[in-house]
Amino acid sequence: MEKLKYERPFIKKLNAGLMNKFGTRTEYTPHTHIDGVAVKELVAKYGSPVFVISEKQIRRNYQNAVRAFKTRYPKVQFAWSYKTNYINAVCNVFHQEGSWAEVVSGFEYQKAKGNGVPGNKIIFNGPDKTVADLELAINDGAMIHIDHFDELYELQELLTRLNKKARVAIRVNMDTGIYPMWDRFGFNYESGQAWNAITKIMASDNLELTGLHCHIGTFMLSTAAYGVAAAKLSDLAMNIKSRFGKIIQYLDLGGGFPSANTLKGSYLPGADIVPSIDEFAEVITSTLLNYGYKQDELPLLILETGRALIDDAGYLLGSVLATKRLSDGRRATIMDFGVNILFTAFWYDHKISPAQEFTHHTEDMVLYGPLCMNIDVVRESISLPLLNKGDQVVVHKVGAYNMTQWMQFIQMRPNVVMIDVNGNPHLIRNKETIDTLHDMEVLPDYLKKFEL
Amino acid sequence: MNAKKRQLTVAVTGLNAIDSPGPGVAVIRGIRDCADWDVRIIGLSYESLEPGIYMEGVCDKVYQIPYPAAGTEAIFNRIEYIHEKESIDVLIPNFDAELYNFIKLSPKLEEIGIHTFLPTTAQFEARDKINLFEFGKKHGFYVPKQVVIYSVSELPKVAEELGYPLVVKGKFYDAIIAQTLEQAQKAFHKLSAKWGTPIIVQEFINGTEINVAALGDGKGGTISAVPMRKMYITDKGKAWAGITLEDDRFLEMARKFCKATKWRGGYELEIMLSIDGKPYIMEVNPRFPAWIYLTVGAGQNQPAALVKMAMGHDVKPYDKYAIGKLFIRYSWDLITDIEDFQKISAFGEY
Amino acid sequence: MKLNKNLAVSETGFIFNPTSGDSFTANEIGTEIINLMKESKSIADIKTALLDKYDVEGNQLEKDVDDFMVLLRDNNLIQYER
């Protein structure tokens, strides 16, 4: 006689006050395939855990964002934010689509250069640029976005010494009505600091002020703040023109558009409260178009959108290591991935789906990672089917920041796979091994021997 | 004429007719009182002990729906499932917290044949208490002065501007009256710990509280408005008993509100008539109040009128209502069996 | 270990504990175990019966049934004899 399909025995108290689950099946509808490739196959071939990136989704996101802005404004350029995900394969998908590069450190700069991005299409942001970094950027004709006065003076000295000129912009911070206000980067608008920096640049022979830059926050849920930012940058651009007769070539509105992830503590799911790219585009472009620029003096609009273009193209596949019951009766499920590679678990309640079919019974549980560290919690509370050891899950919307902020801590970093537009998986970053670690280490001779 | 009456299926939320009641049961009573149709009522509940699920003659069938926090996708899927079985003509959401989702979903619901009669997101947000002051200024209503603050260090300056006593309000709920700066700071910390920032600091208005239940046609017209004064309140501040009033000032306010916002659907104005006789809008609730059946009793069946407008019919504005009609809320212990509770809890249908 | 004998178990997996007034819902195997316990079957016998019937490893079933017993105890449906 053929045996029946097994499910672990389960009993649940009916509670009048608890959140009911009717209709919430989307949370635990099995997600068995990514772009047509079976999760089971991916895990068999590349191991567990493994990051999977959908090239198709990246291109779809990018083309949608470009459409949203270009149908509203004549001159638009995106620059891929390297810090969001700087795996070369990912960067190059964006570059193939026409995106420039936006970097915030010397090594990111070299990565962009190594990928073949011409210097004059690299935007160099951030508070930490070494003299060597700046020299490289000057020689390549990159767009250097100055963050503070120390950098401004250093750059001037360097240019005098090299007898060269540089294309620069300043980063401006400002009150856009949102809280907290990011005033630690760049020069403040309201206090006149930004204008002071502009005056100094305009007085310098070897600095050419080509643009103005701002980046008002992260995971911004308010479109109005971008309207304020566009207006304040435009105000500076207009003043520069009337005072110095200089036409600013571009306004860089930075990044900060949210993805559809759900922030911890948010009552409604991210997908319901996050404004669309079109809504941001509408506010920004209508502010610029109505500001009173002459048609031929409209600045190029640069956007450094990162998260909103890559987050939902990334998945993390993982497996159940064990299930147990905590002292207070709650179910705990231990996964083979944790905050070491899913850094964004600190910010988001990630959507997690099982990768195989289950019955309709679900259980509230804590999802832990594999680290022997108490902070390693993936979800404090989630309702999932009756998972067993070896079952697989899919974590959604993990494309942004995880593959850059991941830690090599207790566990090594796993494989990263990209599924191309035809549904073929490609390994784009090898999992780390013990050699990855040892290659970096130097053991002094006198420490090589010991007896126990 | 003996044509058969029109068959109509209406889905209603807010069946929690408890001590701090939702309006659902009162809305259903209004719809059932209307003789124009043969109505089937589908109750939509969140919890399995909402009295409206079990009450005789209220719902023909009840389905549990996911909480607003589950998001529009989950809610739509559930409504779609119910719609397949029940063919809903009109859906009336009755909770503040669910309105955001249902407003967002209304075009999708319309597509599958479910009519709603709701304000737009912009109207919904304009009357949010964070924006109410700006709203009042823009449309020429008396509204208490208020400042939205993020940090306790902003309090002294704001307090100087508004004077004491002042009201410190949480982002979603709760309000504390403060007589001194120390009390205000304490209230700020208490409310921000509970609801986060921003905190709303508001001028204190002393006077008589009046409530108006009203219905806007979405084109600037007012179909109905009935003012009521609470005669007695529970310790939760909810109306225990109330009486309809005759006062054109309040009707005028409702008409002005509908005209200014082109409000579509039911709403409640919470008005404070100050000692010097100025009617301040304290809050605008974007749905029918729990005491809506008083409007039916007074001769203006707002729930039925809303259903008609949702179905696309023209409805003539009501022009009179009975003055001095009272409602007195009472409790009633309903007896049922464990099987009923098990059914709704486990299957989500009853 | 003793199951509360007066538990009312319905075919659809509802369990009502008349002593406490609590209601429960169980999946198919959970209901099956409770019914077997009501018939005073030993846990060892129940495990054997389930192992015959379902496609499951012995270790897995052992662990899951033990966990189920903890659930029953946490919900005051069984008492351990002292």
Side-chain angles (χ1 to χ4, degrees), chain A residues 302-322:
Chain A
I302 296 181
L303 296 146
E304 301 169 353
T305 313
R307 189 197 317 268
L309 298 182
I310 185 74
D311 222 7
D312 66 352
Y315 301 84
L316 175 60
L317 315 185
S319 310
V320 176
L321 292 177

Side-chain angles (χ1 to χ4, degrees), chain A residues 16 20 22-24 26 267-269 272, chain B residues 46 49 65-66 69 71-72 104 345 348:
Chain A
N20 76 69
F22 303 102
T24 56
T26 46
Y267 181 65
L268 292 167
D272 283 342
Chain B
Y46 290 99
L49 284 179
I65 57 171
T72 49
K104 265 196 117 165
S345 306

Side-chain angles (χ1 to χ4, degrees), chain A residues 438-451:
Chain A
H438 282 170
D439 282 352
M440 301 295 127
E441 293 192 23
V442 185
L443 186 65
D445 278 341
Y446 74 98
L447 288 176
K448 283 186 176 157
K449 278 204 182 111
F450 55 79
E451 277 175 42

Side-chain angles (χ1 to χ4, degrees), chain A residues 220-241:
Chain A
M220 303 285 298
L221 297 171
S222 150
T223 54
Y226 281 91
V228 177
K232 287 187 174 173
L233 286 191
S234 294
D235 176 59
L236 287 176
M238 290 292 185
N239 282 337
I240 291 165
K241 194 193 163 198

Side-chain angles (χ1 to χ4, degrees), chain B residues 87-310:
Chain B
S87 269
I88 301 167
D89 294 302
V90 178
L91 190 152
I92 308 176
N94 286 306
F95 285 121
D96 295 13
E98 67 188 5
L99 279 173
Y100 182 86
N101 283 333
F102 278 109
I103 290 170
K104 265 196 117 165
L105 280 176
S106 58
K108 271 180 92 178
L109 292 171
E110 193 69 44
E111 242 171 63
I112 59 171
I114 301 177
H115 307 292
T116 56
F117 202 72
L118 296 168
T120 63
T121 308
Q123 292 167 345
F124 180 70
E125 276 169 5
R127 55 91 249 163
D128 188 281
K129 64 177 161 181
I130 288 184
N131 307 319
L132 186 63
F133 181 57
E134 291 302 316
F135 172 84
K137 268 202 322 204
K138 189 171 157 197
H139 297 294
F141 289 104
Y142 289 110
V143 277
K145 268 188 228 139
Q146 73 174 36
V147 184
V148 176
I149 64 172
Y150 288 89
S151 157
V152 73
S153 63
E154 297 174 68
L155 258 180
K157 193 172 150 260
V158 172
E160 201 171 305
E161 202 181 309
L162 300 178
Y164 293 101
L166 49 78
V167 187
V168 186
K169 295 170 98 172
K171 186 163 56 165
F172 298 119
Y173 298 104
D174 287 353
I176 297 172
I177 297 170
Q179 306 284 351
T180 64
L181 182 61
E182 286 69 32
Q183 286 177 6
Q185 285 165 336
K186 227 172 115 185
F188 179 96
H189 290 305
K190 192 175 164 194
L191 295 175
S192 62
K194 201 161 170 193
W195 303 112
T197 51
I199 293 290
I200 300 154
V201 187
Q202 198 176 64
E203 172 191 12
F204 178 79
I205 308 285
N206 199 4
T208 315
E209 195 187 328
I210 311 288
N211 299 53
V212 181
L215 180 61
D217 66 2
K219 295 173 230 157
T222 304
I223 297 302
S224 163
V226 176
M228 176 276 288
R229 186 172 66 81
K230 293 176 187 173
M231 298 171 75
Y232 209 90
I233 57 171
T234 67
D235 54 5
K236 287 187 175 175
K238 298 291 159 185
W240 175 329
I243 184 164
T244 55
L245 301 178
E246 179 178 27
D247 193 327
D248 283 343
R249 279 179 299 179
F250 306 129
L251 299 180
E252 199 39 56
M253 274 178 93
R255 285 187 205 115
K256 192 171 158 191
F257 181 86
C258 283
K259 203 170 167 196
T261 60
K262 297 199 162 51
W263 191 268
R264 191 165 186 265
Y267 64 92
E268 180 191 27
L269 292 178
E270 287 185 15
I271 297 165
M272 190 66 83
L273 186 61
S274 69
I275 292 167
D276 54 356
K278 288 179 191 150
Y280 283 82
I281 296 188
M282 305 304 287
E283 227 164 273
V284 181
N285 296 316
R287 34 95 198 141
F288 286 135
W291 56 272
I292 193 67
Y293 194 68
L294 180 65
T295 68
V296 183
Q300 301 199 356
N301 192 335
Q302 291 190 11
L306 181 138
V307 169
K308 287 179 192 167
M309 289 193 289

Side-chain angles (χ1 to χ4, degrees), chain C residues 1 33 37 41-48 65-66 69:
Chain C
M1 197 158 32
I33 295 175
M37 288 174 81
K41 291 263 172 35
S42 76
I43 298 301
D45 286 350
I46 292 174
K47 283 176 182 165
T48 316
V65 173
D66 289 351
M69 293 304 136

Side-chain angles (χ1 to χ4, degrees), chain B residues 276-341:
Chain B
D276 54 356
K278 288 179 191 150
Y280 283 82
I281 296 188
M282 305 304 287
E283 227 164 273
V284 181
N285 296 316
R287 34 95 198 141
F288 286 135
W291 56 272
I292 193 67
Y293 194 68
L294 180 65
T295 68
V296 183
Q300 301 199 356
N301 192 335
Q302 291 190 11
L306 181 138
V307 169
K308 287 179 192 167
M309 289 193 289
M311 292 300 294
H313 304 307
D314 271 336
V315 175
K316 270 200 211 122
Y318 284 105
D319 56 2
K320 51 179 184 288
Y321 58 91
I323 292 156
K325 278 278 178 199
L326 263 75
F327 79 91
I328 303 158
R329 198 167 277 160
Y330 67 103
S331 56
W332 176 270
D333 294 354
L334 182 152
I335 309 301
T336 188
D337 285 312
I338 186 71
E339 286 81 15
D340 300 338
F341 169 71

